[in-house]
Amino acid sequence: MSDVQVWIKETVTQNPVVLFMKGTAQFPQCGFSGRAIQLLKASGVENLVTINVLEDAAVRQGIKEFSNWPTIPQLYIKGEFIGGSDIMNEMFENGELQALIKG
Protein backbone atom coordinates (compact mmCIF):
# COMPACT_ATOMS: atom_id res chain seq x y z
CA MET A 1 0.00 0.00 0.00
CA SER A 2 1.43 3.39 -1.00
CA ASP A 3 1.95 6.26 1.43
CA VAL A 4 -1.06 8.06 -0.07
CA GLN A 5 -3.26 4.99 0.38
CA VAL A 6 -2.12 4.63 4.00
CA TRP A 7 -2.82 8.33 4.64
CA ILE A 8 -6.31 8.06 3.08
CA LYS A 9 -7.13 4.97 5.13
CA GLU A 10 -6.00 6.69 8.34
CA THR A 11 -7.95 9.84 7.48
CA VAL A 12 -11.25 8.06 6.80
CA THR A 13 -10.98 5.77 9.83
CA GLN A 14 -9.84 8.40 12.35
CA ASN A 15 -12.54 10.98 11.53
CA PRO A 16 -16.30 10.37 11.75
CA VAL A 17 -17.23 12.23 8.53
CA VAL A 18 -14.76 12.90 5.70
CA LEU A 19 -15.53 14.46 2.32
CA PHE A 20 -12.94 14.37 -0.44
CA MET A 21 -13.97 17.29 -2.63
CA LYS A 22 -12.85 19.91 -5.11
CA GLY A 23 -12.25 23.07 -3.11
CA THR A 24 -13.16 23.67 0.51
CA ALA A 25 -16.40 23.69 2.49
CA GLN A 26 -16.26 27.50 2.44
CA PHE A 27 -15.40 27.69 -1.28
CA PRO A 28 -16.34 24.58 -3.28
CA GLN A 29 -14.72 24.45 -6.72
CA CYS A 30 -17.44 22.45 -8.49
CA GLY A 31 -21.21 22.15 -8.30
CA PHE A 32 -21.15 18.54 -7.12
CA SER A 33 -18.84 19.38 -4.21
CA GLY A 34 -21.00 22.39 -3.35
CA ARG A 35 -24.12 20.22 -3.32
CA ALA A 36 -22.39 17.64 -1.12
CA ILE A 37 -21.56 20.34 1.45
CA GLN A 38 -25.15 21.63 1.39
CA LEU A 39 -26.49 18.12 2.00
CA LEU A 40 -24.10 17.48 4.87
CA LYS A 41 -24.92 20.80 6.55
CA ALA A 42 -28.66 20.16 6.11
CA SER A 43 -28.13 16.73 7.69
CA GLY A 44 -26.65 18.31 10.82
CA VAL A 45 -23.02 17.27 10.38
CA GLU A 46 -20.73 18.69 13.06
CA ASN A 47 -17.23 17.21 12.82
CA LEU A 48 -16.77 17.33 9.06
CA VAL A 49 -13.27 16.93 7.68
CA THR A 50 -12.87 18.06 4.08
CA ILE A 51 -9.94 17.21 1.85
CA ASN A 52 -9.35 19.45 -1.18
CA VAL A 53 -8.15 17.05 -3.89
CA LEU A 54 -7.14 19.99 -6.10
CA GLU A 55 -4.20 20.65 -3.76
CA ASP A 56 -2.55 17.26 -4.32
CA ALA A 57 -2.66 15.21 -7.53
CA ALA A 58 -1.54 12.08 -5.66
CA VAL A 59 -4.48 12.33 -3.27
CA ARG A 60 -6.86 13.10 -6.15
CA GLN A 61 -5.81 9.92 -7.96
CA GLY A 62 -5.29 7.95 -4.75
CA ILE A 63 -8.85 8.41 -3.49
CA LYS A 64 -10.24 7.13 -6.79
CA GLU A 65 -8.12 4.00 -6.45
CA PHE A 66 -8.87 3.62 -2.73
CA SER A 67 -12.64 3.58 -3.27
CA ASN A 68 -12.63 2.17 -6.79
CA TRP A 69 -14.93 5.11 -7.60
CA PRO A 70 -14.03 7.41 -10.52
CA THR A 71 -15.56 10.72 -9.43
CA ILE A 72 -15.23 13.34 -6.72
CA PRO A 73 -16.73 14.26 -4.26
CA GLN A 74 -16.53 11.11 -2.15
CA LEU A 75 -18.10 10.81 1.28
CA TYR A 76 -16.91 8.53 4.08
CA ILE A 77 -18.81 8.05 7.33
CA LYS A 78 -17.16 6.07 10.14
CA GLY A 79 -14.57 4.72 7.69
CA GLU A 80 -17.16 3.47 5.20
CA PHE A 81 -17.38 4.77 1.64
CA ILE A 82 -20.88 6.17 1.09
CA GLY A 83 -20.69 7.59 -2.44
CA GLY A 84 -20.76 10.81 -4.39
CA SER A 85 -23.21 13.69 -4.56
CA ASP A 86 -25.92 11.79 -6.47
CA ILE A 87 -25.96 8.99 -3.90
CA MET A 88 -25.82 11.54 -1.08
CA ASN A 89 -28.80 13.39 -2.59
CA GLU A 90 -30.82 10.18 -2.84
CA MET A 91 -29.95 9.22 0.73
CA PHE A 92 -30.82 12.71 1.98
CA GLU A 93 -34.23 12.61 0.32
CA ASN A 94 -35.15 9.34 2.04
CA GLY A 95 -33.61 10.28 5.41
CA GLU A 96 -30.74 7.78 5.33
CA LEU A 97 -27.97 10.40 5.25
CA GLN A 98 -29.31 12.23 8.32
CA ALA A 99 -29.65 8.90 10.18
CA LEU A 100 -26.07 7.88 9.31
CA ILE A 101 -24.65 11.22 10.42
CA LYS A 102 -26.60 11.32 13.67
CA GLY A 103 -26.07 7.59 14.33
Side-chain angles (χ1 to χ4, degrees), residues 11-82:
T11 301
V12 300
T13 55
Q14 292 174 3
N15 298 285
V17 183
V18 180
L19 182 68
F20 287 82
M21 63 181 289
K22 293 178 181 175
T24 64
Q26 296 76 22
F27 192 66
Q29 296 286 301
C30 81
F32 296 108
S33 291
R35 180 69 180 141
I37 291 293
Q38 288 175 339
L39 291 168
L40 290 168
K41 286 182 179 176
S43 298
V45 72
E46 291 177 6
N47 296 319
L48 174 64
V49 172
T50 60
I51 309 296
N52 181 358
V53 300
L54 299 177
E55 291 180 344
D56 189 331
V59 171
R60 185 175 185 171
Q61 184 57 38
I63 192 62
K64 294 175 183 180
E65 294 166 2
F66 182 82
S67 63
N68 199 24
W69 190 263
T71 59
I72 292 166
Q74 291 187 17
L75 176 65
Y76 291 79
I77 297 177
K78 298 180 183 120
E80 181 183 348
F81 175 59
I82 305 301

Side-chain angles (χ1 to χ4, degrees), residues 78-94:
K78 298 180 183 120
E80 181 183 348
F81 175 59
I82 305 301
S85 60
D86 290 348
I87 291 169
M88 289 173 65
N89 199 54
E90 192 175 299
M91 290 176 71
F92 180 81
E93 287 177 3
N94 66 29

